[in-house]
Amino acid sequence: MPPLMAFDKGDDEFPAKLTGQVVICSIIAAFGGLMFGYDIGISGGVTSMDDFLEKFFPKVYVRKHRAKEDNYCKYDNQMLQLFTSSLYLSAIVCCFFASKCCKRFGRKITMQLASLFFFIGVILNAAAMNLPMLIIGRLCLGAGVGFGNQAVPLFISEIAPAKYRGGLNILFQMLITIGILCANIVNYVTSKMHPHGWRFSLGGAAVPAIFLGLGSFLIVETPTSLIERGQKDEGKQALRKIRGVHDVEKEYQEILQATELAQQIKQPFRNLMSKSSRPQLICGTILQIFQQFTGINVIMFYAPVLFQTMGFGGKASLLSAIVTGMVNVVSTIVAILGVDKFGRRVLLIEAAVQMLVAQCVTGGILAVHLKATNVIPKNYAYFVVVLICVFVSGFAWSWGPLGWLIPSEIFPLETRTAGFFFAVSMNMICTFIIAQAFLTMLCHMRSGIFFFFAVWIVIMGSFAYFFLPETKGIPIDEMNERAWKKHWFWKRYFDDDSAPGDHRDDKIPVN
């Protein structure tokens, strides 16, 4: 995968406007996030519907309706968890092939393939007659997610002017949150449609897939991709179109030089193991681990299930999920407006404190008031919903969008292909682990699961405070000089004894 942003010198050297073409292209591309978000939200609601459980998971259905069944163990079933997590297992594999597709065929083709895979998965899921058909459909959806998550952030970063790179890139996360909210609303409506409401819920994922597929025919391929594949004249024309100015020669030459140098790197994965690449590799991948171990996917995947565990009825639990989904969307807007103003570290550290308090208080309330077979008092149940909203808001303006944004900024040209692949793959691996293990963890750890994630939040907040350099406003080609080499800890990785090529990023004009 070529550089995410090969032209980030700033408006003084590279004239650029925030054109309608850039905005429209970014929105259409970000519908890949809508596909992803809709699936995250829809799976939790569907797995709480009686009609769905009775058809595919009859043991869970029987256990759910037993009066004396343990509140924390009603949904503990490995195959039920596989229904959710199989998508991410597929995405782990497919994002590797997507990175190759991005480089060889371009971003548009990769996004079109994402929508095609996703659409096939939707058909299989909505028409599923047995569990194997359901799981195969989820694997196809995973292929769509893998291709989409690899191509969309790359596409947006390459067409966005440097000044607006952070905000436009978070459009992807914004559409994820809107997708989750839409899924929660759809689940609330279809839960009343017996016995096939779940089919309408799963089939609704076709809408963002079709929008991305058709919209991708209208958008402009990125200049970097065109130039990299030898279409230099088309690349210059595309650059003029997205920048809204005629004089793009400096930026064009910079992209041309950067892509030529990038093509000289034959072993980017080996180069990623060099000493001076370790800080970016560690931070880029560990942010993905932290993002998933905040516990956010527990809330988003299984919000209706979790609320039912706390004593809400089926429809009330779905309504509560809608409330948290709305909070998610609104809070992501805060990230779009604040990320290029306040910086990355400030948002990450503040949100860590906010999420820590919400997790600990929630765990404490459930430990005291939710036992194996009772129903939590309503006033405490509603307070838990408020706390979950506090938690979701903190995540949505920090670890959610910045978990994708920061890895797209920190890797130098030589290792950007391999580095971003590692980041996306780590995200999918951790998402798979959480999705596959949560219901079993809930059964065995009970309310302690909230304290489990609270410990992770302490670790990640401390990491952001001590080890993560600020990247706000720093051109990508100057990231090593102005961020990593001046950081109290990471600067030791940039000495004169580095392996050959480790210092090369000081000389390559990435932007």
Side-chain angles (χ1 to χ4, degrees):
M1 191 174 67
L4 284 178
M5 192 69 177
F7 42 92
D8 198 7
K9 290 287 186 182
D11 292 340
D12 292 338
E13 185 172 346
F14 294 157
K17 301 176 182 178
L18 182 59
T19 62
Q21 182 71 25
V22 168
V23 173
I24 292 172
C25 286
S26 298
I27 292 174
I28 291 175
F31 264 75
L34 188 66
M35 291 194 316
F36 187 23
Y38 185 90
D39 187 83
I40 290 174
I42 213 70
S43 57
V46 166
T47 53
S48 70
M49 293 182 185
D50 286 347
D51 295 324
F52 178 82
L53 292 175
E54 190 174 14
K55 182 173 181 62
F56 296 104
F57 305 97
K59 292 182 179 179
V60 178
Y61 173 79
V62 172
R63 190 186 305 160
K64 175 183 175 182
H65 291 279
R66 286 177 183 168
K68 297 298 182 181
E69 186 64 35
D70 192 324
N71 278 322
Y72 292 99
C73 299
K74 290 180 179 181
Y75 296 90
D76 182 19
N77 182 279
Q78 286 297 312
M79 292 306 294
L80 180 61
Q81 292 175 123
L82 184 62
F83 165 73
T84 297
S85 62
S86 57
L87 181 149
Y88 302 97
L89 189 63
S90 174
I92 293 168
V93 176
C94 290
C95 67
F96 172 78
F97 295 101
S99 67
K100 300 293 184 181
C101 184
C102 273
K103 182 175 183 178
R104 184 169 182 178
F105 302 109
R107 287 50 161 162
K108 287 179 60 174
I109 291 292
T110 307
M111 287 188 283
Q112 288 163 5
L113 287 174
S115 63
L116 177 61
F117 282 127
F118 206 84
F119 188 71
I120 293 172
V122 169
I123 294 174
L124 290 172
N125 272 185
M129 301 304 297
N130 50 54
L131 188 57
M133 188 174 178
L134 196 68
I135 298 300
I136 292 172
R138 294 289 292 176
L139 293 175
C140 290
L141 291 174
V145 168
F147 273 71
N149 283 16
Q150 191 75 23
V152 172
L154 171 62
F155 177 88
I156 295 176
S157 290
E158 286 186 343
I159 68 170
K163 183 178 180 181
Y164 305 102
R165 187 178 71 234
L168 286 175
N169 207 296
I170 292 177
L171 275 176
F172 180 69
Q173 179 70 20
M174 180 70 179
L175 268 292
I176 291 178
T177 63
I178 292 176
I180 294 172
L181 176 59
C182 291
N184 290 332
I185 295 173
V186 169
N187 278 334
Y188 182 73
V189 174
T190 59
S191 65
K192 308 171 186 178
M193 301 166 60
H194 304 289
H196 299 301
W198 60 271
R199 293 189 187 275
F200 290 100
S201 288
L202 295 176
V207 175
I210 292 173
F211 192 98
L212 176 65
L214 296 179
S216 62
F217 286 98
L218 304 177
I219 61 181
V220 178
E221 180 61 274
T222 70
T224 300
S225 177
L226 290 168
I227 294 171
E228 179 190 40
R229 290 181 287 128
Q231 303 175 41
K232 297 179 180 179
D233 291 339
E234 292 86 345
K236 182 178 287 189
Q237 292 175 6
L239 190 58
R240 286 175 178 152
K241 189 171 184 179
I242 65 174
R243 290 292 173 258
V245 296
H246 183 77
D247 182 14
V248 295
E249 188 61 31
K250 287 184 179 180
E251 186 171 351
Y252 170 75
Q253 290 297 329
E254 197 79 3
I255 297 173
L256 184 62
Q257 184 180 8
T259 53
E260 288 174 350
L261 289 171
Q263 289 171 350
Q264 296 174 14
I265 306 299
K266 303 301 182 182
Q267 298 293 334
F269 286 92
R270 182 182 299 175
N271 207 51
L272 190 63
M273 298 299 111
S274 63
K275 183 178 179 181
S276 65
S277 296
R278 291 173 200 166
Q280 303 95 319
L281 178 62
I282 292 171
C283 290
T285 53
I286 206 169
L287 280 175
Q288 305 303 315
I289 298 174
F290 288 158
Q291 185 193 70
Q292 299 310 310
F293 278 83
T294 57
I296 187 63
N297 280 337
V298 170
I299 303 299
M300 293 305 166
F301 285 153
Y302 300 109
V305 172
L306 195 60
F307 289 136
Q308 282 193 10
T309 296
M310 293 185 293
F312 289 87
K315 293 180 181 178
S317 68
L318 291 171
L319 186 60
S320 299
I322 292 175
V323 173
T324 58
M326 293 176 65
V327 171
N328 199 15
V329 172
V330 173
S331 299
T332 304
I333 297 175
V334 175
I336 293 175
L337 298 176
V339 66
D340 291 319
K341 181 177 181 180
F342 301 111
R344 284 60 162 155
R345 290 180 70 251
V346 169
L347 293 178
L348 292 174
I349 296 168
E350 183 279 329
V353 175
Q354 181 175 327
M355 293 189 295
L356 177 64
V357 173
Q359 287 277 34
C360 290
V361 177
T362 299
I365 291 175
L366 297 186
V368 174
H369 296 285
L370 184 65
K371 306 304 180 183
T373 57
N374 74 317
V375 176
I376 188 173
K378 282 191 174 182
N379 57 329
Y380 285 104
Y382 290 129
F383 185 45
V384 167
V385 173
V386 172
L387 289 170
I388 288 177
C389 289
V390 171
F391 174 86
V392 169
S393 66
F395 176 87
W397 64 53
S398 61
W399 293 90
L402 300 185
W404 292 105
L405 173 60
I406 293 174
S408 75
E409 300 178 319
I410 61 177
F411 290 101
L413 181 62
E414 300 98 311
T415 58
R416 197 161 296 150
T417 299
F420 195 65
F421 164 72
F422 267 98
V424 174
S425 298
M426 183 60 69
N427 187 285
M428 295 297 113
I429 290 171
C430 293
T431 306
F432 169 77
I433 292 171
I434 293 295
Q436 185 63 30
F438 167 66
L439 293 177
T440 301
M441 291 170 65
L442 180 64
C443 180
H444 290 85
M445 298 176 68
R446 301 175 180 270
S447 59
I449 193 170
F450 290 92
F451 297 104
F452 169 80
F453 289 117
V455 171
W456 277 96
I457 292 173
V458 172
I459 295 172
M460 65 185 68
S462 300
F463 182 88
Y465 183 82
F466 290 107
F467 296 104
L468 189 67
E470 180 57 69
T471 58
K472 181 192 74 169
I474 300 177
I476 293 178
D477 62 325
E478 298 178 17
M479 199 66 70
N480 277 357
E481 291 293 334
R482 293 172 56 180
W484 299 105
K485 290 185 179 181
K486 292 184 178 181
H487 190 272
W488 72 274
F489 182 80
W490 300 117
K491 64 182 180 180
R492 69 191 68 185
Y493 288 85
F494 298 89
D495 54 37
D496 295 334
D497 297 325
S498 297
D502 285 355
H503 59 281
R504 196 184 318 166
D505 44 29
D506 298 340
K507 300 178 181 179
I508 294 179
V510 180
N511 300 298

